[in-house]
Amino acid sequence: MLHINQPLKIKGITLDNRFVMPPMASAKSDNGVVSQELCAYYDEKSQDGQFGLIITEHAYINTEGKASLGQLSIADASCINGLSQLVSIIHKNGAKVIAQISHAGCQTSSEVTGKETVSASAVRLSDKFEIPHELSKDEIESIVKDFTNSAIYAKEAGFDGVEIHSAHGYLLNQFYSPLTNKRNDEYNGSTLEGRVRLHLEIIESVRKNVGDEFIIALRLGACDYMEGGSTKADSVKASVMFEKAGVDLLDISGGCRGILQNLQSLLKMQSLFQLY
Ligand SMILES: Cc1cc2nc3c(=O)[nH]c(=O)nc-3n(C[C@H](O)[C@H](O)[C@H](O)COP(=O)(O)O)c2cc1C
């Protein structure tokens, strides 16, 4: 008997099998709101209980963290109705469902967000992106609240859990990667404790507000595969910290490689400019 067809228990929730549909942005929302097209898409994907678990596409936790037009929103309570419709369809088809919640950091544009882009530090990802504003401690605190509120909305909509997005060069990955985190405070990029501080604050706050039975997953961009970037050894240590803070499920993916292709040459250019 194949292991992959066997049920898997995560806390009080049992997946019928171990096939998982990963989060994939469909751009089918109607200005952030769940559309009929989006419902039809997830209905088709979850038919016949083929996947034990569906992780829905990244949804933004606040407008500053919106990655692109057409991205799904989980930024305020008005999203709950549409999201609960989506959850009912997936549950009816026999799959469990968790919502990926995300802040794009500076991997977006002021055209999309209507605001200045933000990040751990004023480091431009590549020449395609703007130079972001470095988040202040008050702004970081409000991001923790926004992640927490989004998790609460997900619970109210009937999701079985949330997945905190910290991969693919988005905000939490920007804090995690020493290539994009040049801070010198307690969120600093020169120690692993500094690089994961924001993650731990979010995980602890979410757990406090959603209770023990709700699944908290974290998608980690576990390695940048770039000189000076995050390494697999860092991720092993970070994962232990995430689990202690309340994470039930780790979803391992890539970090900043590809997004930061031009970063090293940009940083060299910036330091040359500072010399003159
Ligand atoms: C069109 C498309 C949209 C994606 N959107 C997301 C997303 O919203 N969140 C996320 O974490 N990953 C996203 N991904 C990455 C996938 O979840 C997945 O990790 C990737 O396709 C690699 O597949 P693998 O993990 O099976 O190797 C997306 C990938 C594609 C092709």
Side-chain angles (χ1 to χ4, degrees), residues 22-25 57-58 100 163 165 168 219 253:
M24 282 181 288
E57 61 203 80
H58 65 168
Q100 188 180 59
E163 177 173 270
H165 197 351
H168 311 160
R219 188 164 229 204
S253 194

Side-chain angles (χ1 to χ4, degrees), residues 21-26 41 55-59 71 100 102 163 165-168 170 219 251-254:
M21 176 175 161
M24 282 181 288
S26 68
Y41 170 77
I55 307 174
T56 51
E57 61 203 80
H58 65 168
Q71 190 188 358
Q100 188 180 59
S102 182
E163 177 173 270
H165 197 351
S166 176
H168 311 160
Y170 290 117
R219 188 164 229 204
D251 178 358
I252 301 301
S253 194

Side-chain angles (χ1 to χ4, degrees), residues 15-253:
L15 311 183
D16 285 351
N17 63 55
R18 295 154 192 230
F19 287 96
V20 178
M21 176 175 161
M24 282 181 288
S26 68
K28 292 185 195 301
S29 86
D30 185 1
N31 206 16
V33 178
V34 172
S35 63
Q36 288 317 307
E37 194 190 356
L38 192 73
C39 288
Y41 170 77
Y42 281 99
D43 190 15
E44 191 244 314
K45 298 295 171 220
S46 57
Q47 282 293 323
D48 307 322
Q50 299 168 94
F51 292 107
L53 176 66
I54 295 211
I55 307 174
T56 51
E57 61 203 80
H58 65 168
Y60 56 91
I61 57 138
N62 63 27
T63 46
E64 221 171 51
K66 182 173 175 178
S68 57
L69 302 172
Q71 190 188 358
L72 188 61
S73 171
I74 192 157
D76 56 67
S78 70
C79 303
I80 297 173
N81 269 350
L83 290 170
S84 71
Q85 201 189 335
L86 193 64
V87 168
S88 306
I89 290 169
I90 296 171
H91 277 163
K92 181 176 59 63
N93 287 339
K96 298 290 187 278
V97 55
I98 66 183
Q100 188 180 59
I101 56 177
S102 182
H103 188 303
C106 59
Q107 203 187 148
T108 181
S109 69
S110 45
E111 205 180 316
V112 169
T113 64
K115 294 173 182 176
E116 195 181 13
T117 63
V118 301
S119 186
S121 306
V123 173
R124 205 174 168 198
L125 289 178
S126 77
D127 49 11
K128 280 197 304 199
F129 294 99
E130 297 155 29
I131 299 175
H133 154 76
E134 176 174 314
L135 287 163
S136 69
K137 288 191 196 165
D138 283 349
E139 288 167 333
I140 290 176
E141 205 180 311
S142 108
I143 285 174
V144 175
K145 283 192 190 128
D146 291 339
F147 266 103
T148 307
N149 285 334
S150 295
I152 294 170
Y153 303 144
K155 191 174 176 190
E156 284 174 16
F159 281 94
D160 300 293
V162 282
E163 177 173 270
I164 298 163
H165 197 351
S166 176
H168 311 160
Y170 290 117
L171 182 69
L172 293 181
N173 200 174
Q174 291 159 23
F175 271 83
Y176 184 68
S177 173
L179 294 170
T180 44
N181 184 344
K182 302 292 175 193
R183 301 177 74 96
N184 293 312
D185 59 6
E186 61 265 48
Y187 300 94
N188 69 78
S190 42
T191 65
L192 187 59
E193 286 70 23
R195 288 159 51 201
V196 300
R197 179 177 288 272
L198 175 56
H199 301 65
L200 299 181
E201 288 176 356
I202 293 169
I203 297 160
E204 281 161 11
S205 170
V206 169
R207 177 57 76 213
K208 215 164 105 189
N209 284 277
V210 296
D212 283 342
E213 288 308 304
F214 197 62
I215 297 173
I216 302 181
L218 184 126
R219 188 164 229 204
L220 182 64
C223 188
D224 287 334
Y225 300 98
M226 292 173 79
E227 202 187 322
S230 62
T231 63
K232 291 181 205 164
D234 294 342
S235 299
V236 173
K237 290 186 197 143
S239 297
V240 173
M241 296 190 221
F242 297 146
E243 188 183 2
K244 275 195 189 139
V247 161
D248 306 303
L249 191 156
L250 282 159
D251 178 358
I252 301 301
S253 194

